[in-house]
């Protein structure tokens, strides 16, 4: 829809890139397709802040863009964001090994139960497509909830291989940096 197109463009995101990654209008919602082995596993419907139901309930959560992690990481770093728009901003800045957590950040440090992070694991072990990365950049939001998420991810992924970004003043996440300061600045932050 025109409204969704305007919302995406207002975020500084490239429409055709978003479409290539399965972002589309579905009635009043912006729909994000979550693919698994090339097939739609589930779709998140974004109707507004905090109103983001899944198309199918009872389906195990997976990382958004998890299929991008197939193959051998050649000195690659994995980037994990807190939302799909932030992941798309990183992709637009030239980084393809990017995934988003499917369920945002916990509202408190107490809400870090294992069930919340099942998408990182295959059985008891860390998912091999995640575990193969030597360096993981936790590009989560720079607010209090983002810090809970950062710490919870670092504990599960291994703190020694995790790095995180201090976002520039006035920006709380990757999409803010893209919109306010451009793709080159975002790329620079992700590289350093």
């Amino acid at each position: 829809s025109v409204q969704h197109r305007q919302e995406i463009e207002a975020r500084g995101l490239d429409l055709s890139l978003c479409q290539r990654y399965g972002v589309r209008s579905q009635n009043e919602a912006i729909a994000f397709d979550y693919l698994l082995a090339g097939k739609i596993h589930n779709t998140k419907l974004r109707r507004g802040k905090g109103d983001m139901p899944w198309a199918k309930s009872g389906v195990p959560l997976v990382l958004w863009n998890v299929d991008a992690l197939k193959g051998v990481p050649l000195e690659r770093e994995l980037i994990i964001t807190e939302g799909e728009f932030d992941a798309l901003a990183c992709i637009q800045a030239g980084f393809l090994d990017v995934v988003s957590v499917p369920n945002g950040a916990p509202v408190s440090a107490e809400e870090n139960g294992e069930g919340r992070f099942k998408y990182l694991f295959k059985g008891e072990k860390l998912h091999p497509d995640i575990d193969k990365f030597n360096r993981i950049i936790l590009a989560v939001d720079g607010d209090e909830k983002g810090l809970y998420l950062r710490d919870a991810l670092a504990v599960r992924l291994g703190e020694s291989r995790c790095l995180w970004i201090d976002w520039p003043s006035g920006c709380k996440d990757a999409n803010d940096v893209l919109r306010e300061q451009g793709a080159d600045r975002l790329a620079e932050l992700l590289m350093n």
Side-chain angles (χ1 to χ4, degrees):
S1 74
V2 174
Q3 182 199 337
H4 293 154
R5 188 173 297 142
Q6 287 169 342
E7 186 182 335
I8 288 168
E9 286 174 339
R11 289 173 168 274
L13 290 164
D14 180 73
L15 271 175
S16 60
L17 175 91
C18 289
Q19 285 170 329
R20 269 206 315 279
Y21 279 85
V23 181
R24 56 192 166 76
S25 278
Q26 188 169 318
N27 304 325
E28 79 285 8
I30 294 177
F32 296 91
D33 287 334
Y34 275 61
L35 301 181
L36 193 56
K39 299 208 176 9
I40 295 178
H41 175 73
N42 207 343
T43 301
K44 184 189 281 184
L45 303 170
R46 184 190 180 100
R47 296 190 186 123
K49 199 155 179 61
D51 185 10
M52 294 185 268
W54 293 96
K56 293 188 281 199
S57 60
V59 177
L61 295 178
V62 297
L63 290 159
W64 180 83
N65 200 34
V66 71
D67 281 359
L69 307 185
K70 294 281 174 235
V72 182
L74 304 164
E75 297 302 309
R76 302 187 311 183
E77 293 170 337
L78 172 60
I79 299 169
I80 300 178
T81 68
E82 193 174 314
E84 301 88 358
F85 282 132
D86 294 318
L88 286 158
C90 295
I91 292 167
Q92 193 165 314
F95 297 80
L96 299 181
D97 292 315
V98 183
V99 293
S100 169
V101 302
N103 52 358
V107 289
S108 70
E110 283 66 61
E111 203 208 312
N112 281 339
E114 287 316 309
R116 186 174 180 89
F117 297 97
K118 268 199 179 119
Y119 55 81
L120 295 173
F121 295 90
K122 198 169 188 171
E124 296 295 299
K125 286 193 157 71
L126 206 52
H127 198 292
D129 281 337
I130 298 170
D131 202 25
K132 66 188 177 188
F133 287 90
N134 295 326
R135 281 160 57 106
I136 300 173
I137 299 170
L138 303 176
V140 297
D141 292 6
D143 57 12
E144 192 181 19
K145 282 167 43 177
L147 297 180
Y148 296 139
L149 178 62
R150 181 194 78 187
D151 294 347
L153 289 171
V155 164
R156 287 162 181 82
L157 299 168
E159 293 181 35
S160 59
R161 64 172 155 184
C162 289
L163 307 160
W164 52 85
I165 297 175
D166 287 323
W167 300 113
S169 175
C171 296
K172 80 164 175 51
D173 57 31
N175 195 180
D176 282 357
V177 174
L178 177 74
R179 186 177 54 229
E180 306 290 328
Q181 302 182 6
D184 290 349
R185 176 71 177 122
L186 177 55
E188 191 186 306
L189 285 166
L190 290 168
M191 282 187 296
N192 300 318

